[in-house]
Amino acid sequence: MITPKPGIMDIAMYQGGQSALPGVDDVVKLSSNENPFGASPMAAEAYARSVHSLHRYPSADHFELRTAIGEVHGLDPDCIICGAGSDEIIHFLCQSYAGSGDEVLYTELGFLMYRISALAAGATPVEASEPERVTDVDALLAACTERTRLIVIANPNNPTGTMIGGGELARLADGLPDGALLVLDGAYAEFADGYDGGAGLVAGRDNVFMTRTFSKLYGLGGLRIGWGYGAREIIDVLNRIRGPFNLSQAQLAAAEAAVRDRDFADRYVAENRRLRVWLAEAMAEIGVRSDPSCANFVLARFADAAEAGSCDAWLRQAGIIVRSAAGYKLPHCLRITVGDEASCRRVAHAMRAFKESRE
Ligand SMILES: Cc1ncc(COP(=O)(O)O)c(C=O)c1O
């Protein structure tokens, strides 16, 4: 039997958030950090229009989408690459820059796909400690070796919801060994007040790269669109391994309309900001703690894994699906997407009933 390359069989398959509960109607899914308000109607219209050109190959250079992203974010479109989700961009980075004998470094509570992409490239995944559920720049710098090629951090991070500021990011970038690239995963960047996702840092340095997604803010997780921004030389490298038609016409059209619909995006950011505070306070009132979140979810902390598991089961019975953080080495935590107001109220109500049932 043919054998796969080293590392491939060490990959544990990524599990997506559950979306249905057998026998329960009226389920609210808060397990994948999706936009509770759906996608922009303009994106939906653009998607629908693409039905008229199904026989045509899509653009291979994504010029229009890159131009739209560049205009909205004030970035040079030539320094942008688009992919099937930001997952694909991270995959391109690992495939291009990390192979056998190289190390891909991330934080111990970092997003699970970093390990998968590192192993798929034949590289060695390395974790830096993350005390207090916050990215630790000193731990990352201490974990760097001459084999470190990529350092990937999500800022804000999933599943913790915490982030580090511009000063810390710059200190990290400045302290990296030569030949290493800092990748700032900005999947949740728009939910953090006053944060540019690291774009400013990229502009001033050639050892920093930023990834972004249409899956969270723009509610297009089902379509799979993400992008990356970095030095032209890096974009050139990544484009060489990118499939020329990695994005369909429907993806390109919907993403372009979505990024141009600022009202829709701004409304969601404002509503998320209001409701994540409300939800965290409602949880705190019943003794469930969480770190201040900079994303579109909160990480609820329980006394231990048993209590978190019981609360998860209780919420499911109430038709609410949240995400256990056990796979992220946080078995005493549940990650809960900030939904719309009705969903947040439902979570708070069910959690209160859970807590009272145990008094
Ligand atoms: C931190 C982080 N990065 C990247 C992604 C992947 O996003 P995409 O849907 O763009 O592949 C996610 C999705 O949950 C995420 O949480």
Side-chain angles (χ1 to χ4, degrees):
M1 181 62 132
I2 188 166
T3 48
K5 291 193 294 182
I8 306 281
M9 297 311 289
D10 297 331
I11 295 175
M13 296 249 274
Y14 184 83
Q15 306 290 332
Q18 198 181 341
S19 53
L21 292 172
V24 185
D25 295 332
D26 190 21
V27 168
V28 52
K29 181 186 176 202
L30 301 173
S31 55
S32 298
N33 302 337
E34 294 154 335
N35 184 332
F37 308 104
S40 149
M42 291 183 199
E45 267 171 43
Y47 177 84
R49 273 197 304 276
S50 71
V51 77
H52 301 296
S53 48
L54 293 179
H55 57 301
R56 300 279 181 214
Y57 271 88
S59 152
D61 65 7
H62 309 152
F63 177 77
E64 283 164 358
L65 177 56
R66 288 187 295 108
T67 302
I69 293 170
E71 280 173 21
V72 167
H73 290 273
L75 304 175
D76 179 354
D78 288 343
C79 296
I80 293 173
I81 180 171
C82 302
S86 50
D87 277 353
E88 191 179 38
I89 307 291
I90 291 166
H91 213 64
F92 291 159
L93 286 162
C94 289
Q95 292 290 327
S96 301
Y97 292 108
S100 172
D102 297 329
E103 293 174 353
V104 175
L105 176 63
Y106 47 86
T107 60
E108 65 178 326
L109 306 177
F111 183 46
L112 293 173
M113 285 305 297
Y114 307 153
R115 175 181 164 81
I116 292 178
S117 286
L119 287 169
T124 305
V126 179
E127 294 179 0
S129 66
E130 193 171 357
E132 303 303 320
R133 299 169 302 279
V134 181
T135 296
D136 183 334
V137 169
D138 291 316
L140 282 165
L141 290 175
C144 283
T145 71
E146 79 266 8
R147 291 181 298 280
T148 308
R149 303 304 312 279
L150 298 172
I151 300 90
V152 193
I153 65 166
N155 203 44
N157 187 37
N158 171 20
T160 57
T162 60
M163 70 182 293
I164 56 174
E168 280 294 89
L169 290 174
R171 188 163 77 83
L172 177 57
D174 290 342
L176 294 182
D178 284 347
L181 180 69
L182 173 62
V183 179
L184 297 177
D185 176 342
Y188 302 96
E190 296 92 345
F191 301 112
D193 292 332
Y195 177 52
D196 67 358
L201 215 56
V202 173
R205 289 172 176 76
D206 60 8
N207 69 343
V208 185
F209 191 91
M210 171 179 86
T211 62
R212 304 288 282 263
T213 184
F214 282 83
S215 302
K216 311 297 175 188
L217 174 67
Y218 298 109
L220 293 175
L223 263 191
R224 316 301 304 127
I225 313 131
W227 54 284
Y229 169 67
R232 270 167 204 258
E233 293 80 358
I234 297 176
I235 298 296
D236 174 60
V237 168
L238 304 186
N239 270 324
R240 285 167 196 268
I241 64 162
R242 175 177 69 80
F245 306 115
N246 63 326
L247 289 182
S248 68
Q249 295 205 30
Q251 287 166 297
L252 292 167
E256 188 187 337
V259 76
R260 290 194 187 281
D261 188 351
R262 299 320 306 163
D263 282 353
F264 181 85
D266 291 347
R267 275 201 305 275
Y268 174 30
V269 168
E271 195 63 349
N272 178 70
R273 188 187 299 120
R274 179 177 79 84
L275 288 170
R276 88 185 157 198
V277 171
W278 185 90
L279 182 59
E281 285 176 358
M283 292 193 320
E285 266 175 35
I286 52 168
V288 178
R289 287 179 303 157
S290 60
D291 299 313
S293 170
C294 303
N296 66 343
F297 55 85
V298 293
L299 186 70
R301 295 205 303 279
F302 294 84
D304 51 32
E307 193 191 14
S310 303
C311 185
D312 194 10
W314 182 283
L315 292 176
R316 276 164 198 273
Q317 279 196 340
I320 302 165
I321 306 176
V322 300
R323 185 75 151 249
S324 161
Y328 281 98
K329 303 193 191 86
L330 295 166
H332 61 301
C333 296
L334 298 177
R335 193 194 70 193
I336 306 170
T337 304
V338 177
D340 59 12
E341 182 162 341
S343 305
C344 289
R345 287 187 182 279
R346 216 167 131 182
V347 171
H349 181 77
M351 251 194 207
R352 179 176 289 275
F354 166 74
K355 281 289 197 180
E356 285 171 358
S357 77
R358 295 164 73 89
E359 278 169 11

mmCIF file of all heavy atoms in Angstrom, residues 132-134 160-162 280 289-294 297-299 301:
data_model
loop_
_atom_site.group_PDB
_atom_site.id
_atom_site.type_symbol
_atom_site.label_atom_id
_atom_site.label_comp_id
_atom_site.label_asym_id
_atom_site.label_seq_id
_atom_site.Cartn_x
_atom_site.Cartn_y
_atom_site.Cartn_z
ATOM 1 N N GLU A 132 -2.665 32.440 31.223
ATOM 2 C CA GLU A 132 -3.777 33.404 31.368
ATOM 3 C C GLU A 132 -4.539 33.616 30.073
ATOM 4 O O GLU A 132 -5.154 34.654 29.857
ATOM 5 C CB GLU A 132 -3.272 34.763 31.899
ATOM 6 C CG GLU A 132 -2.537 34.675 33.221
ATOM 7 C CD GLU A 132 -3.372 34.034 34.321
ATOM 8 O OE1 GLU A 132 -4.580 34.309 34.397
ATOM 9 O OE2 GLU A 132 -2.804 33.216 35.074
ATOM 10 N N ARG A 133 -4.454 32.678 29.162
ATOM 11 C CA ARG A 133 -5.242 32.713 27.919
ATOM 12 C C ARG A 133 -4.978 33.959 27.064
ATOM 13 O O ARG A 133 -5.868 34.446 26.375
ATOM 14 C CB ARG A 133 -6.756 32.593 28.236
ATOM 15 C CG ARG A 133 -7.141 31.308 28.932
ATOM 16 C CD ARG A 133 -8.558 31.358 29.438
ATOM 17 N NE ARG A 133 -8.755 32.469 30.342
ATOM 18 C CZ ARG A 133 -8.416 32.459 31.632
ATOM 19 N NH1 ARG A 133 -7.905 31.375 32.169
ATOM 20 N NH2 ARG A 133 -8.605 33.522 32.375
ATOM 21 N N VAL A 134 -3.771 34.456 27.133
ATOM 22 C CA VAL A 134 -3.398 35.610 26.302
ATOM 23 C C VAL A 134 -2.054 35.297 25.619
ATOM 24 O O VAL A 134 -1.142 34.768 26.273
ATOM 25 C CB VAL A 134 -3.243 36.904 27.149
ATOM 26 C CG1 VAL A 134 -2.874 38.079 26.243
ATOM 27 C CG2 VAL A 134 -4.535 37.216 27.898
ATOM 28 N N THR A 160 -9.914 32.017 22.674
ATOM 29 C CA THR A 160 -9.881 32.813 23.905
ATOM 30 C C THR A 160 -10.611 34.151 23.779
ATOM 31 O O THR A 160 -11.134 34.668 24.771
ATOM 32 C CB THR A 160 -8.418 33.098 24.310
ATOM 33 O OG1 THR A 160 -7.780 33.766 23.208
ATOM 34 C CG2 THR A 160 -7.657 31.812 24.630
ATOM 35 N N GLY A 161 -10.602 34.739 22.584
ATOM 36 C CA GLY A 161 -11.240 36.050 22.398
ATOM 37 C C GLY A 161 -10.339 37.194 22.840
ATOM 38 O O GLY A 161 -10.689 38.364 22.691
ATOM 39 N N THR A 162 -9.156 36.875 23.375
ATOM 40 C CA THR A 162 -8.250 37.926 23.843
ATOM 41 C C THR A 162 -7.298 38.351 22.716
ATOM 42 O O THR A 162 -7.181 37.659 21.701
ATOM 43 C CB THR A 162 -7.400 37.431 25.029
ATOM 44 O OG1 THR A 162 -6.632 36.296 24.603
ATOM 45 C CG2 THR A 162 -8.275 37.049 26.210
ATOM 46 N N ALA A 280 -21.628 38.786 28.492
ATOM 47 C CA ALA A 280 -20.584 38.542 29.505
ATOM 48 C C ALA A 280 -21.094 38.972 30.881
ATOM 49 O O ALA A 280 -20.854 38.289 31.888
ATOM 50 C CB ALA A 280 -19.311 39.294 29.136
ATOM 51 N N ARG A 289 -17.507 33.094 34.614
ATOM 52 C CA ARG A 289 -16.552 34.142 34.256
ATOM 53 C C ARG A 289 -16.097 34.043 32.801
ATOM 54 O O ARG A 289 -16.187 32.976 32.181
ATOM 55 C CB ARG A 289 -15.341 34.063 35.183
ATOM 56 C CG ARG A 289 -15.683 34.553 36.585
ATOM 57 C CD ARG A 289 -14.512 34.457 37.524
ATOM 58 N NE ARG A 289 -14.015 33.089 37.597
ATOM 59 C CZ ARG A 289 -12.781 32.770 37.974
ATOM 60 N NH1 ARG A 289 -11.928 33.719 38.289
ATOM 61 N NH2 ARG A 289 -12.393 31.523 38.041
ATOM 62 N N SER A 290 -15.606 35.159 32.275
ATOM 63 C CA SER A 290 -15.030 35.159 30.922
ATOM 64 C C SER A 290 -14.042 36.314 30.837
ATOM 65 O O SER A 290 -14.165 37.300 31.561
ATOM 66 C CB SER A 290 -16.124 35.315 29.860
ATOM 67 O OG SER A 290 -16.818 36.541 30.040
ATOM 68 N N ASP A 291 -13.047 36.189 29.964
ATOM 69 C CA ASP A 291 -12.125 37.303 29.732
ATOM 70 C C ASP A 291 -12.833 38.307 28.826
ATOM 71 O O ASP A 291 -13.633 37.905 27.976
ATOM 72 C CB ASP A 291 -10.866 36.805 29.017
ATOM 73 C CG ASP A 291 -10.117 35.780 29.848
ATOM 74 O OD1 ASP A 291 -9.919 36.022 31.049
ATOM 75 O OD2 ASP A 291 -9.739 34.730 29.290
ATOM 76 N N PRO A 292 -12.522 39.609 28.957
ATOM 77 C CA PRO A 292 -13.132 40.568 28.031
ATOM 78 C C PRO A 292 -12.825 40.138 26.593
ATOM 79 O O PRO A 292 -11.667 39.928 26.243
ATOM 80 C CB PRO A 292 -12.438 41.886 28.371
ATOM 81 C CG PRO A 292 -11.941 41.710 29.766
ATOM 82 C CD PRO A 292 -11.620 40.246 29.915
ATOM 83 N N SER A 293 -13.874 39.958 25.799
ATOM 84 C CA SER A 293 -13.668 39.441 24.437
ATOM 85 C C SER A 293 -13.516 40.577 23.432
ATOM 86 O O SER A 293 -14.218 41.578 23.487
ATOM 87 C CB SER A 293 -14.850 38.573 24.027
ATOM 88 O OG SER A 293 -14.762 38.270 22.650
ATOM 89 N N CYS A 294 -12.598 40.384 22.487
ATOM 90 C CA CYS A 294 -12.407 41.345 21.398
ATOM 91 C C CYS A 294 -12.960 40.766 20.099
ATOM 92 O O CYS A 294 -12.696 41.308 19.018
ATOM 93 C CB CYS A 294 -10.924 41.639 21.223
ATOM 94 S SG CYS A 294 -10.138 42.263 22.708
ATOM 95 N N PHE A 297 -17.412 36.228 19.955
ATOM 96 C CA PHE A 297 -17.776 35.115 20.837
ATOM 97 C C PHE A 297 -17.235 35.413 22.223
ATOM 98 O O PHE A 297 -16.378 36.301 22.382
ATOM 99 C CB PHE A 297 -17.196 33.790 20.308
ATOM 100 C CG PHE A 297 -15.708 33.838 20.105
ATOM 101 C CD1 PHE A 297 -14.828 33.591 21.160
ATOM 102 C CD2 PHE A 297 -15.167 34.177 18.868
ATOM 103 C CE1 PHE A 297 -13.458 33.656 20.978
ATOM 104 C CE2 PHE A 297 -13.785 34.247 18.685
ATOM 105 C CZ PHE A 297 -12.932 33.986 19.742
ATOM 106 N N VAL A 298 -17.726 34.680 23.206
ATOM 107 C CA VAL A 298 -17.151 34.776 24.553
ATOM 108 C C VAL A 298 -16.751 33.371 24.981
ATOM 109 O O VAL A 298 -17.363 32.386 24.555
ATOM 110 C CB VAL A 298 -18.124 35.391 25.592
ATOM 111 C CG1 VAL A 298 -18.390 36.852 25.283
ATOM 112 C CG2 VAL A 298 -19.425 34.610 25.651
ATOM 113 N N LEU A 299 -15.723 33.283 25.788
ATOM 114 C CA LEU A 299 -15.259 31.994 26.287
ATOM 115 C C LEU A 299 -15.696 31.900 27.749
ATOM 116 O O LEU A 299 -15.134 32.576 28.612
ATOM 117 C CB LEU A 299 -13.742 31.888 26.171
ATOM 118 C CG LEU A 299 -13.159 30.526 26.539
ATOM 119 C CD1 LEU A 299 -13.533 29.469 25.488
ATOM 120 C CD2 LEU A 299 -11.631 30.607 26.661
ATOM 121 N N ARG A 301 -16.054 30.364 31.353
ATOM 122 C CA ARG A 301 -15.228 29.473 32.179
ATOM 123 C C ARG A 301 -16.055 28.908 33.334
ATOM 124 O O ARG A 301 -16.729 29.661 34.040
ATOM 125 C CB ARG A 301 -14.032 30.226 32.762
ATOM 126 C CG ARG A 301 -13.060 30.722 31.735
ATOM 127 C CD ARG A 301 -11.662 30.904 32.326
ATOM 128 N NE ARG A 301 -11.591 31.794 33.474
ATOM 129 C CZ ARG A 301 -11.557 33.119 33.380
ATOM 130 N NH1 ARG A 301 -11.610 33.706 32.210
ATOM 131 N NH2 ARG A 301 -11.465 33.862 34.473
#
